[in-house]
Amino acid sequence: MQSQELRRKFLHFFREKGHTIVPSSPVVPHDDPSILFTNAGMNQFKKIFLGQAVMPYTRASTTQKCVRVGGKHNDLDNVGFTSRHLTFFEMLGNFSFGDYFKKEAIAYAWELSTRVLELEESKIWVTVFEKDDEAYELWKQWVPEKRIVRLGEKDNFWAMGDTGPCGPCSELLYDRGDLFGNATSPLNDVDGERFFEFWNLVFMQFNRDFSGKMAPLPKQNIDTGMGLERLVSLKLGVNDVFQTDILRSLIAQVENISGKTYKSDPAFHVVADHIRSLSFAIADGAQPGNVERGYVLRKILRRAVRYGRTLGLQKPFLGQVADRLFSLMGEDFPELISAKDKIKEILYVEEENFIKTLSRGGNILQTIIDNSKKSESKQISGQEAFRLKDTYGFPLDELLLIAKDNGLNVNLEAFNLLEEEAKERSRASQKELSQEAKVNLFEGFVKKHGTSSFVGYDTLETEGSITGIFQGVNSVERISEGESALIILDKTSFYAEMGGQIGDTGLIVHNDAIFSVEDTTQPFTGVI
C-alpha cells in the first residue's frame, strides 16, 4: 500500500533527524473544549507551545488523525465537489518545541520532498507570509526566486482557532501542469487545483487571546502538516485524492454493495470519505447526537445516507463499508479493530432512524428539490424550508447542506420570519408557571399517573404512551395542527435540560400524526 509506505518513510526520516515518534491523539479532543474535533497535528502539543507543559523531548513527529467538519476548519460542504477536500485525513507532521526554527524546518522539508519522496524539484513552488522576509531569504537557497510567492494573512498565517497558538507559515505547492488549468503561478490559481498544496510549515511564534491581541510565545516553535492523501495522489500521478489506495478501495466496496460502477460520481466520494470520519470519531469516544459534536456526526452520517440512496442503497449499508476500512487501516490504527462492533452497531441504529425520517418526509423533500431546480430562482422557499423543519424534523443547517448538494439556495429571510412567528405563538400559548404553581399542577399529576421513565442513555427511539397534554395550566384531551403544548410521556428517550446540557429535540409520531419537539424540560421531579 502506497499510503502505508509513505507514512512510514516520513516518520523514519524524522526519527533519523532526532525526532521522537508520538502516537496520534484521538480525533475527539477530550481535554480541549475550544475545538469539536482534532483538526491538526499540533492540537495534542498545544500546552507545550503555550509553555504550560514540558515533555522529555524537544522534537517530535506524528501521523495525526484529523477531522475538519466544524468551526474555523470545515470542509464538509466541499467533499464531493473538489479533487482534494476531505472531512477525515491523516496529517503527517514534524514539530520543534524551542529547538530548531525556520532554517532547519525549511531544509528538512526540501530534503524530504526531493530526496526521500522524490518529487520533481522544478515543479515545487513555495509561498511565504508577505511580511516574512526571513523565510523568503531562506527559501532562496533551495528554490529559484521566481517560484517563491508572497501571500497575505488569509493564506499564509495559520491559527488553530480564534484563539491560541498561531504564526506565519510557508506552503509547498506542486505544479500539476496544464491539465489542471492555465494559471502561471499560485497568485492566479484561484481554485488551487493546478498549484496543489501538499505541505504547510507553520512558524509558531504567537498566542492570540479573545480580544485578538497576539503575544509572543515563551519559545519559537515549528509545526508542520502534510496531508497524506494529497501526497499519495501526487506520487501516484492521479487527478484527485479519491484515486489513492485507501479511498479507492473504499469506493470499490461501495461498488460491490450498490452494484453500480464508479465514474467519479460525488456519491462514491462522499460515502468513502464520511465513513472514515464517522468510524474514527466513534472509535475515539464520540457518537451521533442532538448537540455539538454529536450533532455534527449525525449530519455527516445523514449526508452519507442521502448520497447512498442516489446509488440505490435503501437499507443501512455503512457498516459494510466500515468492514473494508477496518481491513485497510486497522493495522496502523488498532483502535478501529477494538471498537469495530460498537462502530457498526451505532451506524446501523442511526441509519435506520434516519431512513424512517426520510420515509415520512423524504418524498416531500424530493418534490420540493425537483420543483426548486425547475424554478427561475433555483431557491427553496422559506415556507417550504419551515414546513420541512416544523413538520418533518429536517434541521435548517441540514437542509442548507441538502440545498447546496443540489445546486440550490434557501430563502433564509422568509424562513427566519416564520420561525420567529412560531416562537411568538408558542410563548403566547404557554404561561410562565411559578415554582408553587408547578408543584400544585404536577404533584397531583404524578400521584395519579406516575413519573416519566427516561431511557435515553440506551436508545434514541422508544415507544411510550401520552399521560398528559397541557396548554398553560390547563390539561387538555387533544391538540390540533399548528398548536403548541406540553406533552408528558410515561417513557421517553428525550433528555430533559439539566446540568448545563440543553434539552433534546426531535419527533413524537403516531401513525400519520407528528408532534415536533422543540425542547425537553423537567418542570417537576419525575416529570419530563
Side-chain angles (χ1 to χ4, degrees):
M1 283 176 59
Q2 190 81 349
S3 294
Q4 190 175 68
E5 179 188 347
L6 292 176
R7 181 193 297 124
R8 293 177 179 179
K9 275 188 175 183
F10 182 94
L11 296 175
H12 177 75
F13 173 84
F14 281 106
R15 183 185 288 112
E16 294 292 301
K17 299 294 184 183
H19 292 62
T20 297
I21 307 304
V22 180
S24 171
S25 64
V27 298
V28 179
H30 298 289
D31 60 348
D32 188 351
S34 68
I35 50 176
L36 285 179
F37 296 98
T38 299
N39 57 29
M42 63 77 60
N43 290 174
Q44 67 171 308
F45 303 119
K46 183 177 176 181
K47 290 184 178 179
I48 305 177
F49 286 131
L50 292 171
Q52 298 170 353
V54 178
M55 292 295 175
Y57 49 80
T58 57
R59 300 179 174 204
S61 185
T62 67
T63 176
Q64 175 64 52
K65 304 173 294 186
C66 294
V67 171
R68 289 192 174 177
V69 286
K72 178 180 172 63
H73 301 287
N74 183 7
D75 289 332
L76 179 61
D77 294 2
N78 293 317
V79 174
F81 296 102
T82 75
S83 65
R84 66 189 188 277
H85 284 101
L86 298 166
T87 62
F88 175 92
F89 62 95
E90 286 185 64
M91 182 78 88
L92 303 171
N94 59 288
F95 306 86
S96 168
F97 312 111
D99 187 338
Y100 61 84
F101 200 46
K102 294 180 185 179
K103 180 180 178 181
E104 294 84 355
I106 288 171
Y108 289 155
W110 186 253
E111 181 182 354
L112 179 67
S113 298
T114 59
R115 304 290 180 266
V116 179
L117 303 178
E118 299 179 327
L119 295 175
E120 194 173 325
E121 292 185 19
S122 63
K123 293 185 177 181
I124 297 177
W125 287 62
V126 173
T127 67
V128 297
F129 181 48
E130 58 190 358
K131 298 177 182 178
D132 194 348
D133 295 332
E134 180 186 5
Y136 189 89
E137 291 301 319
L138 287 168
W139 271 117
K140 283 167 60 177
Q141 301 176 40
W142 308 101
V143 180
E145 201 166 352
K146 66 181 181 180
R147 296 208 309 271
I148 306 174
V149 178
R150 292 180 185 264
L151 293 175
E153 183 172 341
K154 178 178 178 292
D155 297 291
N156 276 77
F157 196 93
W158 194 91
M160 186 184 78
D162 294 331
T163 63
C166 56
C169 62
S170 179
E171 295 179 342
L172 283 77
L173 315 175
Y174 198 77
D175 182 2
R176 297 196 291 173
D178 295 340
L179 184 64
F180 296 90
N182 56 10
T184 56
S185 92
L187 287 172
N188 53 26
D189 186 20
V190 178
D191 298 323
E193 289 292 335
R194 173 166 181 165
F195 293 90
F196 195 69
E197 177 204 339
F198 67 92
W199 203 351
N200 188 14
L201 316 180
V202 180
F203 310 126
M204 201 75 75
Q205 297 173 246
F206 307 106
N207 181 35
R208 180 155 46 198
D209 64 20
F210 286 101
S211 70
K213 181 181 178 182
M214 291 190 294
L217 290 168
K219 296 178 181 178
Q220 292 181 323
N221 307 295
I222 289 296
D223 156 31
T224 85
M226 177 193 290
L228 176 62
E229 294 80 3
R230 294 190 181 199
L231 173 63
V232 176
S233 72
L234 292 179
K235 287 296 295 178
L236 293 176
V238 294
N239 293 350
D240 61 64
V241 293
F242 295 99
Q243 305 297 328
T244 56
D245 49 8
I246 292 175
L247 288 165
R248 185 61 185 89
S249 186
L250 291 171
I251 287 171
Q253 178 74 333
V254 179
E255 287 183 294
N256 292 338
I257 298 167
S258 67
K260 300 289 178 66
T261 302
Y262 169 61
K263 296 178 181 178
S264 295
D265 188 325
F268 287 95
H269 296 172
V270 168
V271 174
D273 168 77
H274 289 9
I275 193 61
R276 297 208 299 172
S277 288
L278 291 163
S279 297
F280 275 101
I282 294 170
D284 286 342
Q287 70 178 66
N290 286 337
V291 295
E292 295 184 341
R293 186 179 294 121
Y295 181 69
V296 174
L297 289 182
R298 182 166 285 168
K299 188 159 62 171
I300 295 172
L301 182 141
R302 290 181 170 189
R303 187 170 190 245
V305 171
R306 288 200 316 273
Y307 271 96
R309 288 168 77 88
T310 69
L311 300 174
L313 297 169
Q314 302 294 323
K315 296 180 180 180
F317 66 93
L318 290 175
Q320 297 175 67
V321 186
D323 282 331
R324 179 65 61 86
L325 176 65
F326 302 149
S327 66
L328 291 168
M329 300 187 72
E331 182 180 346
D332 290 306
F333 298 97
E335 62 270 27
L336 283 177
I337 304 302
S338 301
K340 66 178 183 179
D341 291 338
K342 174 186 174 185
I343 293 168
K344 292 181 66 174
E345 180 183 359
I346 289 174
L347 291 176
Y348 182 86
V349 171
E350 280 286 328
E351 280 184 274
E352 197 173 47
N353 286 339
F354 184 50
I355 288 169
K356 289 178 182 177
T357 300
L358 288 174
S359 69
R360 288 192 292 266
N363 291 335
I364 293 174
L365 172 63
Q366 192 57 54
T367 299
I368 289 172
I369 290 171
D370 291 342
N371 290 338
S372 299
K373 283 182 176 179
K374 297 173 186 174
S375 70
E376 200 172 309
S377 65
K378 297 292 186 287
Q379 186 178 72
I380 296 174
S381 72
Q383 290 84 351
E384 289 166 332
F386 181 76
R387 182 159 65 104
L388 285 168
K389 173 187 175 293
D390 195 53
T391 307
Y392 299 103
F394 284 96
L396 177 62
D397 57 351
E398 193 168 311
L399 184 59
L400 290 172
L401 198 58
I402 294 171
K404 180 173 181 179
D405 287 342
N406 286 276
L408 301 170
N409 295 312
V410 176
N411 187 334
L412 291 176
E413 187 176 343
F415 173 88
N416 290 331
L417 185 62
L418 291 167
E419 180 91 323
E420 187 54 40
E421 288 176 356
K423 288 178 180 177
E424 285 296 331
R425 285 197 302 272
S426 178
R427 284 192 285 265
S429 68
Q430 301 298 328
K431 298 176 182 177
E432 186 61 37
L433 299 178
S434 66
Q435 188 59 37
E436 182 181 3
K438 288 176 182 176
V439 172
N440 293 335
L441 183 63
F442 294 116
E443 193 171 41
F445 177 85
V446 170
K447 287 179 181 178
K448 182 176 180 181
H449 299 283
T451 58
S452 304
S453 172
F454 176 66
V455 297
Y457 290 123
D458 302 313
T459 180
L460 297 174
E461 183 175 292
T462 189
E463 290 189 0
S465 298
I466 294 175
T467 55
I469 303 176
F470 287 88
Q471 291 186 311
V473 296
N474 300 314
S475 174
V476 299
E477 290 295 318
R478 65 178 64 243
I479 54 173
S480 301
E481 184 174 359
E483 292 184 336
S484 298
L486 299 176
I487 287 186
I488 303 172
L489 305 173
D490 65 339
K491 184 170 65 172
T492 179
S493 55
F494 287 86
Y495 182 84
E497 178 180 359
M498 68 181 78
Q501 182 169 326
I502 66 172
D504 279 347
T505 60
L507 300 175
I508 298 174
V509 180
H510 176 70
N511 296 332
D512 294 330
I514 300 174
F515 182 85
S516 177
V517 179
E518 296 182 349
D519 192 13
T520 307
T521 62
Q522 184 169 272
F524 184 78
T525 303
V527 174
I528 298 174

